[in-house]
């Protein structure tokens, strides 16, 4: 007696296999559609911007004539901004992560801080702009300086750096810690000499990715009142400045079509900066991956 | 044998001069060090509380400036008014509904684009793709998440809008559809990545059980993986909605600045975020009603995103299938 009738199985399976194939193609198609969007976006920007990209574009200040418009002030301004954001956000982020992973007791305050960090990560960037405008620009009277913008951006990316640092610290093997305590090291000695050196690749990777978010962020800068047309370079952190995304925003919103090309050229510069930062992050990650 | 080869010789000599007990005693005696060990947790706690202070700062800022706003504009007019005309010369009107409607229009289109594509991509990555394919596709998708929103805005304005206009001549240069599509593209990686995480955490044994019973891969995905990971998928969609609501630069560049209380998607609209940008760009003097209005709008936006985040948290915790 045959329990399995081959013909019936084939008849029943055929339809189901067709459905399977159709949906597999649909799912693949959807994935490729998302990637196509990425390709089209890149292609559009490069083809529009490449003609305007030249050495003088990097060394000229902004101008109302499209062919003379350059990105010098914005590029230098973004570097200044990062010079404030990087130390501020990394010190705050790593410090918070160390507290949460190494010192915090399991109590309500700790739970509250953790919950707060995850909620903070969901606050729109423009709301951070409102915070910066009220606290840093007005209450602390920093004006629309590099410092005010830098502090605002630092708070914006703080949750990302905290979470990345927490993961990096958590992934340091317990044996290393135990060995350090076993040798008579104090907690702080263990942290500075064992845990931080071991966690630093992860912390750096996460921080660089967070910083690359900060360098492309526009909305908080607009709310703070960062100007666009700037014909000088900042000399200190209290000076006013402009940044790459601000400059791109200004060029994009101008009606003359020539400025669209200038904006695209600006975007290429921004993307190259981002690419460099991300490559550094990838290199760090690959170099130190699975050391333990 | 040279001394170079015998590091112990050095240490033995050192220990002979000073016993371990003495060293420990000496080390413990250092006031300085004990002070450091006691102070470090305090300092780190203060640093960790910066994030809490930030939240409190945001809340207080928004609440106080919004209260000032409500001393000038009635709260019912704000919540239920259907006209948003802050720059009017005659009588300014502050009914937030048009801005909310504008935000919801863009969000709706973004969700229509991102949910099918994002979830399909997640299913493909978790149930169909081989490990090698996944290792290439997933980071590529995440590149989309790393692109600054200003770049997306430029893309919407200079590519998607003209493309839509060539297909549908009725669409204006500023509209809700083009920024909606682009916001959708922006949040695809978020939905795909978070949903894929949820699907990947569904135990292999369940899937393989279904496959062994003769299910096709699609049946496994549709009847096993997706239901089991549903809480994670819903949470990812809710978080993506929150992101779409708070998105600023794409709508500022491509959606226009015409607050409208209607169902038209093809013409210029204004979202809450775009209004804040519009006011911040122009010089609305400090202390004017318009100045305070950006806080009231910001507060509304904050509440919207906060509710979404709480819902996402709740869904992913409450309805999680445990294995």
């Amino acid at each position: 007696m045959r329990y399995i009738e081959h013909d019936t199985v084939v008849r029943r399976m055929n339809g189901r296999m067709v459905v399977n194939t159709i949906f597999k193609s649909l799912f693949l198609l959807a994935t490729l559609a998302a990637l196509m969007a990425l390709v089209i976006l890149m292609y559009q920007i490069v083809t529009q911007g490449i003609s305007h990209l030249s050495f003088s574009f990097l060394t000229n200040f902004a101008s109302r004539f499209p062919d003379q418009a350059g990105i010098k002030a914005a590029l230098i301004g973004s570097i200044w901004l990062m010079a404030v954001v990087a130390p501020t956000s990394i010190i705050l982020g790593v410090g918070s992560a160390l507290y949460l992973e190494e010192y915090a007791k399991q109590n309500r305050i700790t739970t509250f801080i953790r919950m707060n960090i995850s909620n903070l990560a969901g606050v729109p960037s423009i709301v951070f702009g409102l915070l910066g405008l009220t606290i840093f620009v007005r209450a602390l009277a920093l004006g629309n300086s590099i410092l005010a913008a830098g502090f605002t951006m630092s708070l914006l990316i703080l949750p990302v750096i905290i979470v990345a640092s927490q993961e990096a610290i958590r992934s340091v093997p317990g044996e290393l810690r135990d060995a350090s305590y076993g040798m008579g090291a104090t907690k702080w000695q263990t942290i500075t000499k064992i845990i931080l050196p071991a966690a630093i690749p992860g912390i750096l990777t996460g921080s660089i990715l967070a910083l690359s978010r900060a360098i492309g962020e526009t909305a908080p800068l607009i709310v703070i009142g960062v100007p666009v047309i700037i014909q000088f370079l900042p000399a200190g952190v209290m000076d006013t400045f402009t940044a790459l995304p601000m400059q791109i925003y200004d060029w994009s919103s101008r009606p003359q079509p020539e400025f669209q090309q200038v904006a695209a050229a600006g975007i290429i510069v921004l993307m190259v900066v981002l690419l460099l930062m991300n490559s550094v992050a990838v290199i760090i990650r690959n170099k130190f991956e699975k050391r333990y | 044998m040279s001394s170079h080869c015998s590091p112990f010789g050095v240490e033995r000599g050192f220990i002979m001069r000073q016993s371990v007990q003495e060293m420990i005693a000496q080390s413990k005696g250092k006031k300085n060090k004990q002070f450091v060990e006691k102070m470090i947790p305090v300092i780190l706690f203060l640093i960790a509380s910066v994030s809490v202070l930030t939240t409190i700062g945001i809340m207080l800022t928004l609440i106080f400036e919004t209260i000032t706003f409500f001393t000038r504009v009635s709260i019912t007019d704000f919540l239920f008014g259907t006209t948003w005309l802050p720059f009017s010369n005659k009588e300014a009107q502050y009914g937030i509904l048009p801005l909310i409607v504008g935000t919801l229009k863009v969000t709706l289109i973004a969700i229509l684009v991102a949910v099918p594509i994002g979830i399909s991509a997640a299913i493909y990555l978790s149930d169909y793709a081989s490990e090698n394919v996944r290792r290439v596709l997933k980071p590529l998708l995440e590149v989309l998440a790393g692109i600054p929103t200003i770049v997306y805005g430029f893309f919407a304005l200079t590519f998607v809008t003209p493309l839509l206009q060539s297909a549908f001549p009725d669409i204006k240069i500023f509209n809700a559809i083009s920024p909606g599509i682009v916001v959708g593209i922006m949040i695809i990686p978020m939905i795909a990545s978070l949903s894929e995480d949820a699907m990947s955490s569904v135990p292999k044994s369940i899937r393989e059980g279904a496959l062994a019973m003769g299910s096709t891969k699609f049946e496994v995905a549709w009847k096993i993986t997706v239901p089991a990971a549903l809480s994670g998928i819903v949470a990812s969609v809710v978080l993506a909605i929150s992101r779409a609501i708070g998105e600023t630069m794409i709508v500022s560049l491509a959606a226009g600045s015409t607050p409208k209380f209607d169902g038209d998607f093809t013409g210029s609209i204004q979202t809450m975020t775009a209004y804040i940008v519009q006011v911040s760009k122009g010089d609305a003097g400090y202390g004017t009603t318009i100045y305070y209005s950006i806080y009231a709008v910001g507060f509304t936006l904050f509440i919207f995103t906060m509710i979404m985040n709480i819902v996402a948290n709740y869904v992913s915790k409450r309805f999680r299938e445990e294995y």
Side-chain angles (χ1 to χ4, degrees):
Chain A
M1 186 182 159
R2 285 174 59 183
Y3 290 103
I4 298 175
E5 286 178 52
H6 191 249
D7 293 344
T8 318
V9 171
V10 168
R11 204 177 54 231
R12 294 233 176 115
M13 277 310 276
N14 268 351
R16 287 163 62 198
M17 289 310 283
V18 169
V19 169
N20 181 46
T21 315
I22 289 172
F23 274 95
K24 182 184 178 182
S25 328
L26 277 180
F27 294 148
L28 178 62
L29 217 61
T31 316
L32 294 181
L35 294 179
M36 268 312 281
L38 180 67
V39 172
I40 295 173
L41 186 149
M42 296 289 185
Y43 175 79
Q44 277 296 316
I45 283 162
V46 171
T47 48
Q48 281 191 68
I50 202 83
S51 62
H52 194 80
L53 208 57
S54 64
F55 187 67
S56 62
F57 179 65
L58 294 176
T59 54
N60 279 0
F61 284 109
S63 164
R64 61 199 171 87
F65 304 108
D67 50 334
Q68 290 168 21
I71 204 159
K72 185 182 182 183
L75 189 59
I76 304 290
S78 274
I79 293 172
W80 269 98
L81 185 64
M82 284 305 112
V84 173
V85 175
T88 316
S89 60
I90 293 179
I91 289 172
L92 290 178
V94 175
S96 308
L98 277 179
Y99 176 76
L100 289 172
E101 290 301 314
E102 299 293 328
Y103 287 99
K105 296 180 186 69
Q106 277 304 329
N107 57 21
R108 280 208 189 139
I109 298 176
T110 310
T111 316
F112 179 71
I113 295 179
R114 280 180 214 276
M115 208 179 69
N116 176 66
I117 290 168
S118 76
N119 276 333
L120 206 56
V123 174
S125 60
I126 195 160
V127 174
F128 278 92
L130 291 173
L131 173 80
L133 175 67
T134 319
I135 306 286
F136 298 127
V137 176
R138 298 218 188 275
L140 298 179
L142 295 176
N144 49 11
S145 61
I146 297 171
L147 207 58
F151 285 164
T152 309
M153 285 293 189
S154 301
L155 294 182
L156 175 67
I157 62 170
L158 186 57
V160 186
I161 296 190
I162 294 178
V163 172
S165 307
Q166 274 182 293
E167 274 169 23
I169 291 169
R170 223 176 290 151
S171 68
V172 177
E175 299 93 57
L176 282 184
R177 230 171 284 228
D178 297 342
S180 173
Y181 288 135
M183 294 297 285
T186 62
K187 190 157 198 174
W188 184 238
Q189 282 172 330
T190 307
I191 289 173
T192 50
K193 306 242 166 79
I194 305 293
I195 295 175
L196 278 184
I200 234 147
I203 292 175
L204 274 182
T205 310
S207 302
I208 293 172
L209 293 180
L211 289 176
S212 65
R213 179 172 168 211
I215 211 168
E217 195 61 71
T218 324
L221 298 181
I222 298 179
V223 179
I224 286 174
V226 169
V228 175
I229 308 291
I230 286 218
Q231 300 289 349
F232 57 88
L233 295 180
V237 288
M238 287 308 292
D239 285 0
T240 180
F241 75 113
T242 191
L244 284 174
M246 281 302 292
Q247 191 72 69
I248 294 166
Y249 173 59
D250 179 63
W251 284 330
S252 311
S253 52
R254 284 176 189 236
Q256 303 97 308
E258 295 85 7
F259 270 111
Q260 303 298 333
Q261 289 173 14
V262 182
I267 289 175
I268 295 177
V269 173
L270 176 64
M271 299 291 261
V272 167
V273 172
L274 285 175
L275 196 68
L276 287 178
M277 292 172 75
N278 281 277
S279 319
V280 171
V282 169
I283 289 170
I284 293 176
R285 186 162 59 194
N286 289 346
K287 196 164 161 52
F288 293 97
E289 209 175 32
K290 287 177 190 153
R291 247 177 42 181
Y292 302 107
Chain B
M1 203 163 91
S2 72
S3 64
H4 188 72
C5 296
S6 152
F8 292 108
V10 181
E11 296 215 347
R12 213 177 286 148
F14 182 69
I15 290 168
M16 264 155 65
R17 260 182 272 125
Q18 196 180 23
S19 78
V20 176
Q21 281 91 337
E22 274 171 5
M23 280 169 70
I24 292 174
Q26 199 181 32
S27 164
K28 277 205 172 142
K30 277 185 191 158
K31 278 269 158 59
N32 203 356
K33 209 160 146 193
Q34 283 183 342
F35 184 69
V36 168
E37 290 294 329
K38 284 210 178 98
M39 281 311 289
I40 290 295
V42 178
I43 295 171
L44 290 182
F45 175 75
L46 291 179
I47 289 178
S49 52
V50 168
S51 68
V52 178
L53 288 179
T54 307
T55 309
I56 296 174
I58 289 174
M59 302 278 273
L60 289 185
T61 301
L62 292 177
I63 290 171
F64 276 113
E65 306 289 48
T66 304
I67 287 174
T68 315
F69 176 73
F70 284 138
T71 59
R72 306 182 187 191
V73 175
S74 108
I75 190 162
T76 45
D77 285 357
F78 178 75
L79 289 179
F80 304 110
T82 55
T83 319
W84 185 265
L85 270 176
F87 305 107
S88 162
N89 290 326
K90 285 176 245 153
E91 197 186 356
Q93 279 179 287
Y94 295 94
I96 195 162
L97 287 178
L99 294 183
I100 293 180
V101 167
T103 301
L104 292 182
K105 280 180 197 167
V106 172
T107 309
L108 177 72
I109 293 185
I111 288 305
L112 287 180
V113 170
V115 167
I117 295 183
I119 294 179
S120 301
I123 295 177
Y124 183 77
L125 289 175
S126 83
D127 280 51
Y128 286 98
S130 69
E131 189 51 39
N132 284 335
V133 172
R134 203 166 80 129
R135 216 175 296 153
V136 175
L137 286 186
K138 211 178 173 190
L140 272 178
L141 267 183
E142 274 159 12
V143 171
L144 275 176
I147 292 176
T149 54
I150 180 75
V151 178
Y152 279 117
F154 178 81
F155 182 63
L157 187 64
T158 62
F159 178 73
V160 179
T161 302
L163 190 71
L164 285 171
Q165 280 177 317
S166 64
F168 310 97
D170 288 348
I171 292 177
K172 314 280 191 301
I173 175 91
F174 295 119
N175 60 72
I177 302 172
S178 160
I181 292 173
V182 176
V183 172
I185 295 173
M186 183 193 77
I187 59 178
I188 286 172
M190 190 171 189
I191 296 181
S193 195
L194 292 176
S195 299
E196 204 263 341
D197 288 345
M199 292 179 193
S200 296
S201 63
V202 174
K204 241 186 164 158
S205 55
I206 304 183
R207 283 178 214 204
E208 281 169 357
L211 283 172
M213 298 298 286
S215 299
T216 62
K217 277 201 168 179
F218 171 69
E219 287 161 351
V220 174
W222 201 243
K223 292 177 181 164
I224 308 286
T225 317
V226 170
L230 197 60
S231 71
I233 297 172
V234 172
S236 81
V237 172
V238 177
L239 279 180
I241 295 176
S242 166
R243 266 289 284 283
I245 290 176
E247 169 41 45
T248 308
M249 296 320 297
I250 301 173
V251 287
S252 296
L253 272 175
S257 49
T258 322
K260 277 191 307 198
F261 188 68
D262 59 16
D264 174 34
F265 284 76
T266 59
S268 173
I269 58 153
Q270 188 166 41
T271 66
M272 293 189 270
T273 50
Y275 172 72
I276 300 176
V277 166
Q278 188 193 8
V279 172
S280 305
K281 246 188 350 172
D283 277 314
Y286 175 67
T288 58
T289 310
I290 291 181
Y291 172 82
Y292 288 114
S293 72
I294 62 174
Y295 289 93
V297 174
F299 195 25
T300 316
L301 176 71
F302 180 76
I303 290 174
F304 265 78
T305 55
M306 211 35 128
I307 291 174
M308 291 296 165
N309 293 340
I310 292 170
V311 168
N313 241 327
Y314 177 77
V315 168
S316 73
K317 285 218 177 79
R318 175 72 179 72
F319 298 103
R320 194 201 306 268
E321 302 266 346
E322 297 282 356
Y323 296 103

